[in-house]
Each structure stands twice: as C-alpha cells, then as structure tokens.
C-alpha cells in the first residue's frame, strides 16, 4: 500500500505521512470473531503503574486471529482485507468451503478473491500454510511457530518475514529480519510470504494527539526532571548512562535471561556481518 500526504491546511498536516487505507474494508469487523477488551492504563492487578505513560485512547475490540492454521486441506476464499487497531499488520477475512469464517494475518500480494489453504503439502503461494519440513529451502515465511501447535509467534508485525535457509536433524533453520539465525522444530507451521503493510514504519504521525488516540500519554525525559525524581535529573546529565527511574540500565544492556533456549540460536543478531 502507498503512503499519502496532505495539503498543509493545519500545522500538523504539514508533516503528516500516513498509510493509504482506501483499499481496505470500510465497515466494521465480523462480530462473532471479536471480543471486548478492557484498558489497563499501564496498571497491574494491584493497581500499580508497571508501564508508564499509558492511558486514554480510542475504544477498540479485539479481533480473534487464527495463528495456528490447523484447518487443513480446506480451501478458503479471501472475502476482504481489513484494518486491525490491535496490530500493525492488516488482516484478511477468510471464508472456507464449509461456511466457516476466520481472520488470518494478511501477507503482501494477497487480494480479495484469492484462495488460501493450509496442509501437509500445498502450493508455495502467499497466504498458504504448511509445516517447515514441507517447504523448499529459501522460502520467505511469516507467522512461524516456535513450538508445534502453539500458534505463530515469529514474524507477525507489519512488513516482517523470515527465510528458511536449511534443515538439520529434525530442525529447520530460519534467518530472521534482525539477522539472527535460529532453529525451530521442522514440524512447526509457517505461512508463505511477508506480512502486509510494509510502509507502516514510514509513517509520520504529525501531531501528539494521534499518539493520545493510541493510548500513549506524553513521555517526559529523565534529563529534564529534578534529581529527586530521576537518576538522570539535574542541570546536566554528567555523562551517566541511560537509566530507568529505578536505576536499571535503559539502553544497550543485555536483558536476555533465558539461557535454556540459547542452544537454538545459531547466530546472534548482535554479531557484526563480515565482508
């Protein structure tokens, strides 16, 4: 989808660049495939703020997406491509031969009227899903499972994808967009293609109010606070490294603590490419 700009009839529109959604479905979602969700305002079950600068925002219902794609060998037709306020990617409404409706993550180059199918061995075309063991080496995939039957977890946001680069002893080797190479079980499901809406990252919101619509309140930098309010507060920062208000490193510090899954990562995304 293309980006659109606006005539500068207001100061905010002068710099606004948004994704053109004119080709998307104009109406609301299928009610049977949605459910309500309440806002947390960044508070946990005890009512304490655990995520700062959250609150407000437009009301939205949650679209139930089929991340598992376990309806095998049933051909579905794409009824429409829809906007989903809960994610950066677009979603597709699929109607199967038996009349069942389901939402799936829409890949690029999938249009209204196209057919999608999931199975053990199906055509390698955008929107189709199959186990990684059945895919040709080099296939571009998205919505990849990390554990068979759990549902897709890798490459789900707008414009992302992974590439199947090999197989070894029951495992499939994936190259992720970050440069990381990791293995998952070959029986895990994945969908063919790259996630839709690749221009999502090229948008310019133009004004602070658009962030308020999303539920993000103004973010105050620690440097402009007083010393009693933040470790970086005061007249100057004094060369101190970025920290949270509670003294935890905020940028660049390693946060990965799950050493048990380290064996599945063949190449870290932090390793600089040679050449």
């Amino acid at each position: 989808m293309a980006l659109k700009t606006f005539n500068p009839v207001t100061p905010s529109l002068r710099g606004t660049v948004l994704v053109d959604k004119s080709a998307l479905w104009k109406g609301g979602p299928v009610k049977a495939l949605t459910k309500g969700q309440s806002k947390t305002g960044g508070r946990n079950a005890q009512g304490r703020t655990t995520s700062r600068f959250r609150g407000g925002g437009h009301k939205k219902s949650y679209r139930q997406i089929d991340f598992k794609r376990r309806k095998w060998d049933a051909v579905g037709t794409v009824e429409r491509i829809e906007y989903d306020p809960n994610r950066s990617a677009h979603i597709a409404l699929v109607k199967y031969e038996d009349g069942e409706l389901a939402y799936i993550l829409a890949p690029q180059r999938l249009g209204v009227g196209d057919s999608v199918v999931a199975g053990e061995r199906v055509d390698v075309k955008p929107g189709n899903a199959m186990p990684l063991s059945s895919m040709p080496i080099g296939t571009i995939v998205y919505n990849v499972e990390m554990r068979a039957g759990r549902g897709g977890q890798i490459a789900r946001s707008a414009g992302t994808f992974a590439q199947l680069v090999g197989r070894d002893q029951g495992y499939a080797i994936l190259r992720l967009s970050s440069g990381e190479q990791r293995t998952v079980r070959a029986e895990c499901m994945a969908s063919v293609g790259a996630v839709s809406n690749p221009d999502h990252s090229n948008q310019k919101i133009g004004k602070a109010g658009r962030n308020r619509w999303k539920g993000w309140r103004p973010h105050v930098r620690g440097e402009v606070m007083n010393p009693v309010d933040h470790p970086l507060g005061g007249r100057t920062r004094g060369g101190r490294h970025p920290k949270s208000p509670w003294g935890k490193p905020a940028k660049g510090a390693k946060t990965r603590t799950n050493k048990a899954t380290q064996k599945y990562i063949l190449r870290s995304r932090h390793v600089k490419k040679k050449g």
Side-chain angles (χ1 to χ4, degrees):
M1 286 191 158
L3 295 169
K4 66 175 182 178
T5 56
F6 301 85
N7 289 330
V9 293
T10 64
S12 63
L13 288 179
R14 185 174 297 278
T16 301
V17 179
L18 300 177
V19 171
D20 185 9
K21 301 184 179 71
S22 59
L24 299 180
W25 171 252
K26 302 295 190 297
V30 178
K31 198 166 185 180
L33 298 177
T34 63
K35 62 180 182 180
Q37 56 178 346
S38 57
K39 295 181 183 295
T40 63
R43 272 73 174 173
N44 63 7
Q46 285 74 44
R48 303 190 181 193
T49 300
T50 53
S51 180
R52 297 188 300 161
F53 313 116
R54 301 308 305 262
H58 202 288
K59 187 176 182 180
K60 52 191 178 184
S61 58
Y62 180 76
R63 279 77 164 161
Q64 295 172 307
I65 311 296
D66 180 16
F67 292 114
K68 295 186 177 181
R69 301 292 301 272
R70 290 290 169 178
K71 194 174 177 68
W72 280 25
D73 301 323
V75 178
T77 303
V78 177
E79 297 285 302
R80 61 202 192 204
I81 308 294
E82 295 186 17
Y83 167 76
D84 188 348
N86 303 290
R87 63 193 72 254
S88 56
H90 298 320
I91 57 176
L93 178 67
V94 176
K95 186 174 184 179
Y96 292 101
E97 296 170 321
D98 58 2
E100 183 181 344
L101 294 173
Y103 279 126
I104 65 170
L105 287 180
Q108 298 174 31
R109 299 190 302 278
L110 185 73
V112 176
D114 292 347
S115 297
V116 294
V117 63
E120 181 67 35
R121 291 191 178 275
V122 296
D123 292 338
V124 182
K125 52 181 273 190
N128 287 356
M130 66 185 102
L132 290 167
S133 59
S134 302
M135 289 186 179
I137 302 299
T139 305
I140 300 296
V141 295
Y142 73 101
N143 191 38
V144 185
E145 290 182 332
M146 297 181 72
R147 187 179 300 170
R150 191 172 190 172
Q153 292 177 278
I154 299 175
R156 297 191 339 189
S157 61
T160 58
F161 60 90
Q163 186 175 21
L164 178 65
V165 295
R167 278 188 286 267
D168 183 32
Q169 297 180 349
Y171 284 87
I173 304 172
L174 297 172
R175 183 191 295 126
L176 309 184
S177 299
S178 63
E180 177 178 298
Q181 286 193 19
R182 67 168 298 134
T183 60
V184 297
R185 291 294 305 177
E187 57 266 23
C188 290
M189 292 284 288
S191 301
V192 179
V195 186
S196 56
N197 196 21
D199 281 324
H200 172 77
S201 60
N202 297 325
Q203 295 184 110
K204 296 180 182 178
I205 63 170
K207 60 181 182 179
R210 186 167 278 109
N211 262 349
R212 300 300 296 256
W213 299 342
K214 298 176 183 178
W216 286 101
R217 300 184 64 236
H219 189 135
V220 182
R221 292 176 297 128
E223 293 169 307
V224 299
M225 297 183 186
N226 292 318
V228 296
D229 298 320
H230 201 281
L232 304 181
R235 289 196 174 188
T236 62
R237 185 163 150 183
R240 285 167 291 186
H241 293 290
K243 288 184 173 59
S244 73
W246 304 276
K248 299 288 187 182
K251 289 183 179 178
K254 292 183 178 180
T255 58
R256 182 180 174 83
T257 57
N258 188 2
K259 305 298 183 184
T261 57
Q262 192 70 32
K263 59 186 177 181
Y264 299 117
I265 299 178
L266 304 182
R267 179 189 174 91
S268 171
R269 63 189 176 92
H270 300 292
V271 177
K272 293 185 178 179
K273 295 180 180 178
K274 298 178 181 180

